Amino acid sequence: MSTYLINHLRIPGDVPNEAGLSYLEEVEATVKPYGGRWLANGEVSVVEGAWPGLVVLMEFPDRAAVDRWYNSPEYQNILPLRVNNAISDLVLIDSLPDGYTVRGFAQQVRAAVQAASGSGR
């Protein structure tokens, strides 16, 4: 099951400084051994709410792969170049199982609520 990394990225002044550029030049080599790849990177079109900055969307083969990459000595070595020169909200989310539907999810929640309240008996 794929795991996606989403980075809500804000760069002060909107232009990466020298350290930020060094990070960009080095990060790709740290990702490849773990099967990571970029799916999207750039400005967003805001339809609702606010989203200042950019988004980075990456895919890894699974949660274990992204954890190994993030904690690898190679990535940890360059991580300060990003965190000290940009504002990031970094989140991970796993892909959905085959056959997932939002309706089915709602039905599962409804059944759990009913069971918890005792009205499902």
Side-chain angles (χ1 to χ4, degrees), residues 16-26 78 80-82 84-85:
N17 61 19
E18 185 59 36
L21 291 172
S22 293
Y23 172 86
L24 293 173
E25 291 169 343
E26 296 178 37
I78 66 168
L81 296 174
R82 178 176 57 79
N84 293 334
N85 296 286

Side-chain angles (χ1 to χ4, degrees), residues 40-51:
N41 184 28
E43 294 182 17
V44 299
S45 297
V46 178
V47 178
E48 293 182 17
W51 189 286

Side-chain angles (χ1 to χ4, degrees), residues 39 81 89 119:
L39 299 179
L81 296 174
D89 299 311
S119 62

Side-chain angles (χ1 to χ4, degrees), residues 13-75:
D14 294 329
V15 177
N17 61 19
E18 185 59 36
L21 291 172
S22 293
Y23 172 86
L24 293 173
E25 291 169 343
E26 296 178 37
V27 69
E28 194 166 6
T30 71
V31 169
K32 283 186 180 183
Y34 301 94
R37 65 188 185 112
W38 275 259
L39 299 179
N41 184 28
E43 294 182 17
V44 299
S45 297
V46 178
V47 178
E48 293 182 17
W51 189 286
L54 309 170
V55 68
V56 177
L57 175 62
M58 298 174 68
E59 178 183 31
F60 286 82
D62 53 38
R63 181 66 62 118
V66 73
D67 288 342
R68 285 192 311 273
W69 162 72
Y70 188 85
N71 294 301
S72 70
E74 297 80 13
Y75 187 65

